[in-house]
Amino acid sequence: MPASASPHTRSAIVTRLRAAGCVFAEDEAQLLMSAAATPAELSTMVSRRAAGEPLEHVLGWAEFCGLRIAVDPGVFVPRRRSEFLVSQAVTLARQAARPRTVAVDLCCGSGALGVALATVVGQVELHAADLDPAAVRCARRNVADVGGRVYEGDLFEPLPGTLRGRVAILIANAPYVPTEEVGLLPPEARMHEPRMALDGGADGLDILRRVAAAAPLWLAPGGHLLAETSERQAPRLTEAVARSALTPRVVRSAELNATVVLACRGG
Ligand SMILES: C[S@@+](CC[C@H](N)C(=O)[O-])C[C@H]1O[C@@H](n2cnc3c(N)ncnc32)[C@H](O)[C@@H]1O
């Protein structure tokens, strides 16, 4: 359906989206009109969005690091703030100046972070993994574009053993919302993203502590773990990482409200 079709339709959609609380109703109307192939499809898409489904699930894609990443309903929508983690990973991969970077994207969801890293850096051997079969199905479509592989299972468990000691960049945007705060998230997240994508346990760090504990086994000498967290959680995650004999530092983007713990395996 042409994006320019019927100004009447467009203004009716904007009004409906605005009434449903969509702050960027004009932009969203434009995107939905561009995506729908028929008036019937447009009507369904507008209804889904007005009922509170994330725009990305309705469109079937999210913009991340300038890329279109496929995102299926029920799969975590990659957040703009995670572009900061990717930019840090790109810098580290370039500094390492290896002919080919071995990268792992743990808790990969749609695979957005690993795909963005591989796209920007090039020459990346990308492995991604997630416990949720729906995320794995979605990630396989995205990761195929950069020639990577996606595995299903708990954290490192499904990765090929041949990766041990070879990983230069280990990305982990794992769930890190403390259990008691999951109920405070916006309805779009609470109702349309799986709890296992959000809930990080009592203090939000249950999964990231497990990642930090096992990371030294998988990292190459000089390799880095990059874990997104909140500013408040960063000191506790830094301690966990240091207990694993990795050398941590915390980097922060005020603009994106993003905090990342970087941890290097010495040697
Ligand atoms: C916050 S989402 C992030 C997804 C993706 N990294 C991103 O930033 O778009 C966390 C992801 O971790 C996955 N997950 C949760 N527990 C896991 C586990 N024990 N092992 C592997 N993946 C897990 C969830 O299924 C979800 O896709």
Side-chain angles (χ1 to χ4, degrees), residues 64 75-79 82 105-113 129-133 135 153-156 171-176 194-199 207 210 228:
F64 185 77
V75 175
F76 184 87
V77 176
R79 306 296 202 259
S82 302
D105 183 356
L106 272 193
C107 298
C108 67
S110 64
L113 278 62
D130 201 286
L131 188 54
D132 179 359
D154 181 32
L155 297 185
F156 297 90
I171 291 171
N173 185 22
Y176 61 84
R195 184 154 186 126
M196 70 184 291
L198 307 169
D199 189 344
I207 293 177
R210 290 175 56 211
E228 186 175 297

Side-chain angles (χ1 to χ4, degrees), residues 91-176:
T91 302
L92 291 169
R94 287 185 173 148
Q95 278 169 359
R98 295 177 170 93
R100 196 163 166 79
T101 301
V102 177
V104 168
D105 183 356
L106 272 193
C107 298
C108 67
S110 64
L113 278 62
V115 169
L117 171 70
T119 303
V120 176
V121 172
Q123 296 303 314
V124 169
E125 177 187 325
L126 177 63
H127 301 263
D130 201 286
L131 188 54
D132 179 359
V136 169
R137 271 195 303 278
C138 180
R140 284 201 171 123
R141 302 210 315 274
N142 291 314
V143 167
D145 290 346
V146 293
R149 309 256 335 249
V150 184
Y151 312 88
E152 182 181 327
D154 181 32
L155 297 185
F156 297 90
E157 176 269 325
L159 295 177
T162 48
L163 286 176
R164 287 189 184 169
R166 287 185 53 227
V167 178
I169 299 288
L170 174 57
I171 291 171
N173 185 22
Y176 61 84

Side-chain angles (χ1 to χ4, degrees), residues 1-3 30-43 45 59:
M1 178 157 195
Q30 192 69 31
L31 285 166
L32 292 172
M33 289 176 77
S34 306
T38 63
E41 191 183 2
L42 179 59
S43 166
M45 291 173 96
L59 292 172

